[in-house]
Amino acid sequence: MRIFTKTDIGKMRSINQDAFFAKVLSNGSAFAVVCDGMGGASAGDIASKTAVDIISQYFLNSYSPNMSSDDIAKLLNNAILSANLEIYNLSLQNEQLQGMGTTVVAVVASENETVICNIGDSRAYLLGDDIKQITRDHSVVQSLVESGKLSPEQARTHPEKNIITRALGVEDDVLIDNYCVDIDKNDIILLCTDGLSNLVDSNSLLNIVKSNDLDNITNKLIEQANSNGGKDNITVAVIAH
């Protein structure tokens, strides 16, 4: 597996509160984690960086190439829960960090399948002949869409678009969503923060991926998000065979 990553501050923010880590493992599988911090001053930055550091260290210290998908999912969950508790405790120790949190989407992709965990509205997509959003946003707007009160089109421009209902580090425990998806040789896994998904629709994502070389996809996606306004930090990770 190969991984291509890039982050960008965007056109309207003074600090990048996104963080990521990605690594090709010894057996050729790919591991990646992407986080989008929230909180005043530097709190969001601290939350996302802490999450990425703890999750990646925890995972790499305990990962074994012969692990089953279930074992990998359990390991990712334990790593995320460890990060959650650390961020929560940090916020209790420092008034300036109170209420900080972060989204997280973490992935382990092998030749045939991908294990994904997420909290918040950072996303994982599967791209082949078409595009499928694998993860479900934990957000006010997503809940309104699922209840039939908003259409997907209305949701894209809703004023509460950025309000998430679940985040890492806000409470001493958190619910994690888990997915396992089969992948084919030509499939691509795309991870991103909402700085991309809020500004570039699914069809445009698919067109950019299909019309560019692998090593240029992250650049083109970020260029498109900035061209469409660049309202937030943008982080992208692309995983492919």
Side-chain angles (χ1 to χ4, degrees):
M1 307 297 288
R2 291 177 287 169
I3 311 175
F4 305 87
T5 55
K6 188 168 184 178
T7 189
D8 189 86
I9 197 170
K11 298 177 75 173
M12 299 180 67
R13 297 297 177 92
S14 59
I15 187 171
N16 192 342
Q17 294 192 330
D18 290 357
F20 72 91
F21 177 88
K23 182 180 177 66
V24 177
L25 304 171
S26 59
N27 63 343
S29 296
F31 166 66
V33 55
V34 170
C35 292
D36 179 0
M38 62 181 198
S42 63
D45 182 32
I46 292 170
S48 62
K49 186 178 185 306
T50 300
V52 165
D53 288 348
I54 291 177
I55 293 166
S56 57
Q57 289 171 15
Y58 191 112
F59 177 82
L60 294 174
N61 286 340
S62 303
Y63 176 75
S64 172
N66 59 1
M67 279 184 164
S68 67
S69 295
D70 286 344
D71 289 337
I72 291 171
K74 289 175 184 176
L75 177 54
L76 283 176
N77 275 254
N78 287 337
I80 291 168
L81 290 173
S82 179
N84 182 78
L85 200 55
E86 177 66 19
I87 295 166
Y88 179 73
N89 287 334
L90 282 173
S91 70
L92 294 181
Q93 296 163 15
N94 187 331
E95 278 190 13
Q96 293 181 330
L97 302 181
Q98 285 182 5
M100 72 175 176
T102 182
T103 68
V104 59
V105 56
V107 175
V108 178
S110 63
E111 289 292 321
N112 301 311
E113 62 184 4
T114 297
V115 176
I116 300 167
C117 302
N118 86 295
I119 299 168
D121 60 0
S122 291
R123 294 179 177 179
Y125 293 92
L126 176 66
L127 296 94
D129 292 331
D130 56 10
I131 182 169
K132 176 185 178 184
Q133 181 181 333
I134 301 169
T135 52
R136 172 185 173 271
D137 292 350
H138 305 127
S139 67
V140 169
V141 165
Q142 181 63 29
S143 298
L144 292 172
V145 170
E146 291 173 0
S147 66
K149 294 178 180 177
L150 280 182
S151 70
E153 292 74 24
Q154 291 171 322
R156 287 189 58 81
T157 56
H158 195 276
E160 295 182 346
K161 174 74 178 173
N162 295 323
I163 299 177
I164 60 175
T165 55
R166 200 189 303 176
L168 189 70
V170 176
E171 298 179 356
D172 60 357
D173 197 12
V174 67
L175 181 63
I176 304 164
D177 284 0
N178 294 275
Y179 307 85
C180 185
V181 296
D182 295 333
I183 57 174
D184 296 325
K185 187 172 183 180
N186 295 324
D187 288 342
I188 287 174
I189 300 293
L190 170 66
L191 310 183
C192 67
T193 56
D194 66 343
L196 180 73
S197 56
N198 281 348
L199 290 176
V200 185
D201 63 40
S202 294
N203 288 333
S204 297
L205 291 177
L206 182 61
N207 289 337
I208 290 169
V209 168
K210 281 189 167 186
S211 59
N212 286 278
D213 294 334
L214 277 173
D215 58 1
N216 203 33
I217 290 173
T218 56
N219 289 328
K220 291 298 183 181
L221 290 171
I222 287 175
E223 284 176 11
Q224 188 62 58
N226 278 325
S227 177
N228 291 352
K231 296 177 182 178
D232 201 353
N233 310 140
I234 311 151
T235 299
V236 183
V238 171
I239 300 173
H241 285 79

